[in-house]
């Protein structure tokens, strides 16, 4: 797949920040957004051309999605340190996460992008990522 690929992995529920991700997908039609998961707030109902939804899958298959991605998006609240952030980083993918996730594990700060409290700065930080890094900046390059 050509271009930037942004990945979300998790349940499609409000506290994951899906409303912010929908706004992001609409604002960046040249970026491919892949959502892996399921739930009531299914992104496939958005009818946004650059959004693809995949059902939950095995860890081995999910690892291929991590490796193909440029950025993990998780503007969630009330999460602590989600496993998907750790999995993305282990795959070399830079996470863009809410401040609450960083506060749960402050040691992450140098290795992740901070979307601010509740993901309020998601759009600004994402645009800066696109302008500065473009595709294929990996978590280890942030150190």
């Amino acid at each position: 797949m050509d271009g930037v690929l942004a990945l979300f992995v998790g349940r499609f529920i409000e506290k994951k920040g899906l409303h912010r991700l929908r706004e992001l997908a609409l604002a960046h039609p040249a970026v491919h957004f892949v959502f892996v998961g399921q739930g009531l707030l299914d992104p496939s109902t958005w009818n946004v051309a650059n959004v693809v939804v995949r059902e939950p899958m095995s860890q081995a298959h999910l690892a291929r999605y991590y490796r193909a991605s440029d950025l993990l998006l998780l503007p969630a609240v009330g999460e602590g340190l989600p496993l998907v952030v750790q999995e993305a980083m282990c795959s070399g993918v830079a996470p863009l996460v809410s401040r609450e996730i960083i506060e749960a594990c402050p040691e992450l700060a140098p290795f992740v992008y901070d979307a601010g409290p509740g993901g309020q700065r998601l759009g600004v930080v994402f645009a800066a990522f696109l302008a500065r890094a473009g595709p294929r900046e990996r978590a280890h390059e942030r150190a």
Side-chain angles (χ1 to χ4, degrees):
M1 182 176 286
D2 292 333
V4 174
L5 194 154
L7 178 67
F8 170 90
V9 178
R11 293 172 294 144
F12 302 155
I13 58 175
E14 186 175 345
K15 77 176 196 171
K16 299 286 187 173
L18 288 209
H19 64 289
R20 295 193 188 284
L21 296 177
R22 182 180 186 277
E23 293 169 5
L24 202 62
L26 288 168
H28 297 278
V31 175
H32 305 281
F33 291 84
V34 175
F35 291 78
V36 177
Q38 60 188 5
L40 295 176
L41 301 177
D42 188 344
S44 65
T45 65
W46 300 345
N47 297 316
V48 177
N50 58 330
V51 169
V52 174
V53 176
R54 299 286 181 245
E55 295 282 325
M57 59 188 68
S58 70
Q59 286 301 114
H61 196 77
L62 183 57
R64 291 193 289 261
Y65 277 85
Y66 283 125
R67 288 191 298 270
S69 299
D70 296 293
L71 198 62
L72 174 76
L73 302 173
L74 190 60
V77 296
E79 288 287 296
L81 177 59
L83 183 58
V84 297
V85 171
Q86 299 166 60
E87 291 171 342
M89 292 178 73
C90 287
S91 299
V93 178
L96 172 49
V97 299
S98 64
R99 176 80 44 83
E100 290 83 351
I101 292 171
I102 296 169
E103 288 172 351
C105 184
E107 294 81 6
L108 285 179
F111 307 103
V112 300
Y113 292 97
D114 182 354
Q120 294 174 359
R121 298 187 62 243
L122 181 69
V124 172
V125 177
F126 187 74
F129 169 83
L130 294 176
R132 192 191 89 215
R136 306 294 176 230
E137 177 173 329
R138 299 300 190 190
H140 68 274
E141 294 170 355
R142 299 248 321 130

